Every structure is written in C-alpha cells, then in structure tokens.
Amino acid sequence: MKIGIPKETAPGERRVALIPETVRKLAAKKVETVVETGAGMASSFSDDEYKTAGATIASSYEDLIAASEAIIKIVRPSDAEL
C-alpha cells in the first residue's frame, strides 16, 4: 500500500495528515508513504524529516497522485483536487 500525503490547500490550514513519526511507524509495518514536497512546512516538518522517516517525496501534486494508491488529507479535497 502506498499512502499519499498532499499539501493542504484550505485557507489557514496548517496541519498535515501524517507527521514524520507516523510515517516511521507505517514504514516499520511495510506501508509506504509519498509526501508532496512542502506538505509539512506549515507544521514545521521538512521534506528531509519525512525522507529520514522513510517517505518518498513527490515533486508535485500530480506526481503524488500518480505514485499513490490512497490519499490522506485533513480537509475534504477541493473540486480541483478531485
């Protein structure tokens, strides 16, 4: 299973669906994660922290979607995201 974590696009939303600690726990269970570059920045998590935890970093939303089997978000996807 590959779980995708995109940047949140809702105005004022600073949270991210998974933090690096959770990515590490999922990796230990053989669950792969793909994180859109910059997805954790508003929550003070860098791409390097996600990489260290075991995630792959996608360079764009389109690349994230192409590489993921499921997407996890905080806020309901916008019409454009769907």
Side-chain angles (χ1 to χ4, degrees), residues 1-75:
M1 163 76 59
K2 280 190 180 181
I3 298 173
I5 308 303
K7 290 181 204 173
E8 292 295 328
T9 58
E13 183 57 72
R14 296 178 46 128
R15 297 173 294 171
V16 62
L18 293 180
I19 63 171
E21 178 183 347
T22 306
V23 168
R24 187 175 298 106
K25 289 176 182 179
L26 289 170
K29 303 244 184 230
K30 307 295 184 218
V31 176
E32 297 178 54
T33 53
V34 182
V35 178
E36 183 179 4
T37 189
M41 294 306 291
S43 295
S44 300
F45 296 112
S46 70
D47 289 349
D48 286 338
E49 289 177 277
Y50 282 102
K51 280 190 225 176
T52 299
T56 301
I57 304 299
S59 60
S60 68
Y61 181 73
E62 293 75 20
D63 289 344
L64 172 84
I65 297 300
S68 303
E69 297 173 296
I71 303 295
I72 298 177
K73 286 186 54 80
I74 297 289
V75 177

